[in-house]
Amino acid sequence: METLKFWLQDHPSIVSFRWSPALSWGSTWFFLISAISFYVTAAVTLHLILRFLGRRRPVPLGPIPAIHNLAMSLTSLTIFTGMLLSAKAELRDTRWLWRRTRTTPFEWFLCFPLGIRPSGRVFFWSYAFYLSRFLHMLRTFFIVLRHRKLSFFRLFNHSILLVMSFLWLEFTQSFQVLAILFSTAVNTAVYGYRLWVEIGLPVRNFWFTVDCQMVLLCCNLVCHFGVLLLHYLRGGCNGIGAWLFNSLLNVAILMLFLRSYVNEFWRRNLNNPTSYSSSKDYSPKHAKLNGSYAKLN
């Protein structure tokens, strides 16, 4: 346990981390805009090339998707554990400040005090989460190659997640600790489930990943109300401008997700009324028969 704490909490690189263009890779606005532009252009180009070639069969990818799912699940688990240990250490080291300002640890999770800078343990793992978004984007290309499906929701969602994680660091936004804990916990379960499906093992719930994403979005929405309340009761939260922008983006993602969720639910029940309740086995072969699996997941 002490070894784990050292590598995830007390390592010099973690303790001395500081977000700055000179020290952190990918920490400039130019890089962010260029990365999103390249991602969207590459995905659309690949989709158009496959349509132009008239290829109907999935492109064989071998074990690459399974390796990607394993990498994402382990990465998310590492970031979750590191963030949890680091947040605990930060609360321990600044306990004297909470007594002086009459602030509870729960309030710190939702509302950073004004003037805080993006340095230290917590922001190291926030930076790791930001970098993991690039690995997350690779899933789009797997979906295009396998199912020839490219939805606006997928491009928008992945791009916005990258922007939000960048804003967390750039403006030292409040609520990012809880948001990262929620996201990495869900991603660990979702990508572990996808790995289970990818290697051909039987599963029971087609809607598992969709429901996990729905729970994540709803939890984030509820916590945003807590941030707004503390902002007015405690005299201000750091990065509230970025928080407001991210809140609007979260609402947009939630609306698009609900629309996709409801449409898919009704489509599947109209086509097969017993599919939702009696589906016990699902494999990648079934995904070939249902392109909407790629869109929702």
Side-chain angles (χ1 to χ4, degrees):
M1 192 61 185
E2 293 302 321
T3 303
L4 181 66
K5 285 184 177 181
F6 172 77
W7 287 106
L8 298 181
Q9 171 185 306
D10 298 324
H11 192 277
S13 299
I14 297 177
V15 177
S16 62
F17 172 80
R18 183 165 62 92
W19 168 263
S20 70
L23 301 175
S24 308
W25 181 82
S27 59
T28 63
W29 285 97
F30 176 78
F31 178 88
L32 177 68
I33 296 173
S34 300
I36 293 177
S37 301
F38 177 79
Y39 163 69
V40 174
T41 302
V44 172
T45 301
L46 179 61
H47 180 64
L48 293 177
I49 289 175
L50 292 178
R51 291 192 62 180
F52 177 77
L53 295 177
R55 185 180 180 90
R56 296 184 177 182
R57 294 183 178 180
V59 178
L61 298 177
I64 296 178
I67 295 174
H68 177 260
N69 290 329
L70 177 61
M72 278 300 303
S73 183
L74 293 178
T75 300
S76 299
L77 179 61
T78 302
I79 296 174
F80 174 84
T81 307
M83 178 61 82
L84 192 62
L85 292 175
S86 297
K88 182 180 178 181
E90 291 291 335
L91 292 174
R92 180 198 63 209
D93 295 343
T94 56
R95 188 177 303 171
W96 61 271
L97 180 61
W98 311 134
R99 295 173 182 175
R100 177 179 298 182
T101 59
R102 297 181 180 178
T103 302
T104 65
F106 179 74
E107 291 175 349
W108 178 82
F109 276 108
L110 289 175
C111 179
F112 282 153
L114 296 175
I116 190 173
R117 297 182 179 276
S119 61
R121 301 180 180 95
V122 166
F123 295 100
F124 172 87
W125 291 111
S126 182
Y127 178 59
F129 181 80
Y130 166 65
L131 296 180
S132 72
R133 298 303 88 197
F134 294 98
L135 182 62
H136 180 66
M137 285 178 167
L138 293 178
R139 181 168 171 79
T140 299
F141 300 98
F142 300 154
I143 295 299
V144 173
L145 291 172
R146 276 187 164 181
H147 308 291
R148 303 183 310 280
K149 295 289 183 179
L150 182 64
S151 64
F152 169 77
F153 173 74
R154 178 173 296 279
L155 292 176
F156 179 78
N157 185 41
H158 286 189
S159 300
I160 291 305
L161 289 176
L162 183 63
V163 171
M164 288 193 298
S165 58
F166 178 87
L167 293 179
W168 288 347
L169 289 160
E170 184 69 14
F171 296 99
T172 324
Q173 182 192 312
S174 298
F175 175 60
Q176 62 178 282
V177 175
L178 278 181
I180 292 173
L181 289 175
F182 289 157
S183 297
T184 51
V186 168
N187 286 340
T188 300
V190 166
Y191 278 98
Y193 174 85
R194 287 171 178 167
L195 174 64
W196 184 272
V197 174
E198 196 66 42
I199 61 180
L201 297 176
V203 295
R204 292 184 177 275
N205 192 353
F206 172 84
W207 294 89
F208 176 78
T209 59
V210 183
D211 292 337
C212 284
Q213 298 294 338
M214 181 67 71
V215 170
L216 174 62
L217 289 171
C218 291
C219 286
N220 285 339
L221 191 61
V222 170
C223 288
H224 277 299
F225 286 106
V227 175
L228 184 62
L229 181 64
L230 288 175
H231 175 68
Y232 288 104
L233 293 179
R234 304 296 299 182
C237 297
N238 202 72
I240 197 64
W243 169 85
L244 179 61
F245 180 71
N246 279 342
S247 298
L248 296 176
L249 294 179
N250 272 318
V251 171
I253 292 175
L254 181 59
M255 293 298 101
L256 289 172
F257 192 86
L258 283 173
R259 179 183 176 185
S260 178
Y261 184 94
V262 172
N263 289 341
E264 179 64 11
F265 177 82
W266 284 109
R267 191 195 69 80
R268 286 179 60 83
N269 279 273
L270 287 175
N271 291 342
N272 187 2
T274 62
S275 63
Y276 182 80
S277 59
S278 61
S279 177
K280 295 184 178 179
D281 295 313
Y282 184 83
S283 68
K285 295 182 179 179
H286 294 99
K288 299 177 183 178
L289 302 176
N290 188 1
S292 58
Y293 173 80
K295 181 178 179 182
L296 282 173
N297 292 292

